[in-house]
Amino acid sequence: MAITEPTWAPSSWRGLLAGQQPEWPDAAALAAVRERLQALPPLVFAGEARALLAGLGEVCEGRAFLLQAGECVESFRDVSAPGIREKLKVLLQMSAVLTYGAMLPVVKVGRIAGQFAKPRTESTEIVDGVELPSFRGHVVHSDEPTPEARVPDPERLVQGYYQAASTLNLLRAFTKGGFADLTLVHTWNREFVAGSPAGQRYEALADGIERALRFMQAIGIDLLNERTLHEVDVWTSHEGLLLEYEEPLTRKDSLTGQWYDCSAHMLWIGERTRDLDGAHVEFFSGVRNPVGVKVGPHATPEEVVALAERLNPGRVRGRLSLIARMGAERVREALPPLLRAVREAEVPVVWVCDPMHANLVRTPSGTKTRHFDTIMAELQGFFAAHREVGTWPGGVHIEFTGEDVTECLGGSEAVLEEQLDHRYETLCDPRLNGRQSLDLAFRVAELMRAA
Ligand code: PEP
Ligand code: CO
């Protein structure tokens, strides 16, 4: 039998329909940017992507849990050390709570260091009565509400690379330099429980973590010097939307000869660009990173199985995450048929719940928001669907920020509708604030203990 050369290349997507791409005005300028990106060093290594793959393989087997969380869209204006530190702090706090809740390792993946581009349902939006091209992220154009500012500028792709590099650099320093210390994280959680109106509900869990730490100390584990208590892996991810950015950052691994998209450890394909015959699925079928696909309430079992076969033909555990974003009202009925179909097709996947993107509502005055209770309702439905089918609820995918913003309603220290405009700062979707994110982690830990 003849051995055929693999025909995939990073440019294979060209010629296929690529949804949600900006209309770059100057092809020559774009080509020049592509060349510059191609000459820059990779942001992550193939070996790191393989380490994440192994972690997700454990999630796939039901031996670990995935926490994927971060910004809806990162801003070019906000690359400060305190901003990144606060996000990491909340991510680590959530992770400690979930680890204890599930008694399993938690694989931590940020929507960070590259989450710059947004797909939009409508190509235009009205700002102060003026119709403008919709905002697609700072890696495309400015968010200023003028037609000139909204013209796509390829130079911003290079700026995105450098912003991702500096964010990643700080993230690596924080996670390996002592900031991720488990006893410190536990102290933050203690403070949260003490200051939370729902504190008593969480007291038992926080007590449990404390006792576990004391137990470790009692049997002779040196809490000060044990490396695993001080260092963590936080991996990066973003929606692989702009193929003009992802292609030049895709490199052949010198060890294995395989292609990796070195812009992030994990990439996902959005709900609007997951056409089986489209450019995004073609592109991500060829790179070896762990990849995700968002799956909305209208996806059919056939479609989801076809995506799984296409993106994970080698049936590698951890390669593919299906990120269900069904809506609180739809999840109980829409999810089980998909869980069964994928199981029957015998393609291993990690099932993740994104309880954010199908639960957007507008207040009477027009502000986009999400209610904490609705987010929790989708999570409950997700766990219930897995319990019904007998599959593993592998993880959660949320949008949050470390700041005290008022963008989502509710939570134990409830944000009320009339407070939304106090600190409504998101450039795109409403995010959970630090407090609401921790509330969510404690609630998910309760769901996991009940599972
Ligand atoms: C997102 O994750 O920010 C997003 C746009 O999600 P989806 O593709 O699920 O709508
Ligand atoms: Co979003």
Side-chain angles (χ1 to χ4, degrees):
M1 198 166 73
I3 298 174
T4 49
E5 284 293 316
T7 53
W8 189 91
S11 62
S12 294
W13 63 274
R14 293 179 186 276
L16 297 176
L17 199 64
Q20 298 282 341
Q21 304 302 290
E23 287 176 24
W24 304 104
D26 181 344
L30 180 64
V33 158
R34 203 160 53 228
E35 257 175 53
R36 279 159 67 200
L37 285 172
Q38 207 148 21
L40 287 165
L43 290 169
V44 305
F45 289 139
E48 294 178 305
R50 280 193 289 274
L52 172 58
L53 182 79
L56 291 171
E58 288 295 292
V59 178
C60 198
E61 295 278 324
R63 293 194 293 255
F65 193 73
L66 168 66
L67 171 62
Q68 186 173 25
E71 292 286 338
C72 180
V73 64
E74 291 172 279
S75 164
F76 277 9
R77 283 193 293 276
D78 178 24
V79 67
S80 72
I84 295 167
R85 190 191 58 218
E86 286 311 297
K87 266 177 254 181
L88 178 64
K89 178 178 169 183
V90 175
L91 189 73
L92 295 174
Q93 284 181 274
M94 294 178 76
S95 162
V97 169
L98 292 171
T99 304
Y100 189 78
M103 285 290 157
L104 290 173
V106 171
V107 177
K108 297 166 273 298
V109 180
R111 287 175 62 117
I112 197 165
Q115 174 53 24
F116 297 128
K118 297 313 295 173
R120 300 309 299 264
T121 306
E122 308 293 339
S123 60
T124 62
E125 63 189 356
I126 311 277
V127 185
D128 298 330
V130 183
E131 188 171 13
L132 295 166
S134 292
F135 177 59
R136 292 182 178 275
H138 282 160
V139 75
V140 175
H141 51 200
S142 160
D143 59 307
E144 289 298 312
T146 66
E148 306 76 55
R150 296 287 171 96
V151 176
D153 173 5
E155 198 56 38
R156 285 174 171 265
L157 295 171
V158 180
Q159 212 182 328
Y161 169 92
Y162 284 110
Q163 175 144 343
S166 51
T167 304
L168 187 54
N169 182 52
L170 196 59
L171 207 55
R172 291 190 195 277
F174 276 140
T175 51
K176 305 294 172 192
F179 185 73
D181 194 308
L182 182 61
T183 44
L184 187 65
V185 173
H186 176 60
T187 308
W188 298 331
N189 277 347
R190 267 275 173 233
E191 285 164 11
F192 168 77
V193 168
S196 162
Q200 284 192 332
R201 180 166 184 182
Y202 306 142
E203 191 83 40
L205 211 146
D207 277 349
I209 297 178
E210 187 134 332
R211 287 167 63 83
L213 284 170
R214 277 204 241 118
F215 175 73
M216 282 194 279
Q217 201 159 22
I219 60 170
I221 295 174
D222 183 348
L223 298 189
L224 285 178
N225 290 312
E226 173 59 43
R227 210 185 122 260
T228 50
L229 295 176
H230 304 293
E231 292 183 18
V232 294
D233 289 320
V234 173
W235 310 102
T236 61
S237 73
H238 61 260
E239 176 172 351
L241 184 68
L242 300 185
L243 297 176
E244 297 285 1
Y245 179 78
E246 305 302 337
E247 179 190 326
L249 289 172
T250 295
R251 310 291 163 83
K252 197 173 244 185
D253 173 33
S254 55
L255 282 180
T256 61
Q258 289 167 338
W259 291 102
Y260 283 84
D261 183 344
C262 297
S263 72
H265 300 109
M266 176 181 182
L267 289 305
W268 76 87
I269 305 174
E271 166 73 355
R272 293 163 190 77
T273 50
R274 59 172 169 75
D275 292 353
L276 209 48
D277 304 320
H280 291 83
V281 169
E282 168 61 21
F283 180 81
F284 286 106
S285 72
V287 300
R288 296 298 175 120
N289 309 55
V291 297
V293 183
K294 292 289 197 85
V295 179
H298 305 296
T300 63
E302 297 72 35
E303 207 180 342
V304 175
V305 167
L307 276 167
E309 302 263 10
R310 179 82 198 283
L311 289 165
N312 193 10
R315 291 171 159 65
V316 176
R317 285 172 211 288
R319 151 73 177 171
L320 181 62
S321 296
L322 294 176
I323 307 164
R325 27 91 84 221
M326 299 286 158
E329 287 185 356
R330 299 292 303 276
V331 63
R332 276 305 276 117
E333 141 215 4
L335 191 56
L338 305 183
L339 302 180
R340 290 196 178 93
V342 173
R343 182 175 56 192
E344 269 159 38
E346 296 183 349
V347 185
V349 304
V350 171
W351 279 105
V352 186
C353 177
D354 166 359
M356 314 294 290
H357 284 92
N359 293 315
L360 265 177
V361 289
R362 278 190 193 271
T363 63
S365 60
T367 309
K368 267 205 293 188
T369 189
R370 294 157 166 155
H371 201 294
F372 184 83
D373 291 344
T374 318
I375 291 169
M376 279 317 305
E378 176 150 2
L379 280 161
Q380 273 154 4
F382 176 81
F383 276 86
H386 282 281
R387 205 173 314 123
E388 176 194 318
V389 179
T391 40
W392 175 242
V396 297
H397 178 121
I398 65 159
E399 287 183 346
F400 84 101
T401 186
E403 308 296 312
D404 244 345
V405 298
T406 54
E407 298 171 5
C408 290
L409 296 167
S412 66
E413 199 170 287
V415 173
L416 308 172
E417 203 165 302
E418 57 272 23
Q419 294 170 328
L420 280 182
D421 59 2
H422 289 186
R423 272 195 76 180
Y424 194 93
E425 297 172 5
T426 185
L427 283 169
C428 194
D429 291 339
R431 304 157 297 176
L432 295 171
N433 61 29
R435 217 160 237 298
Q436 291 168 326
S437 305
L438 275 175
D439 276 337
L440 180 138
F442 276 103
R443 298 279 195 96
V444 172
E446 287 174 355
L447 284 174
M448 293 177 83
R449 285 161 84 87

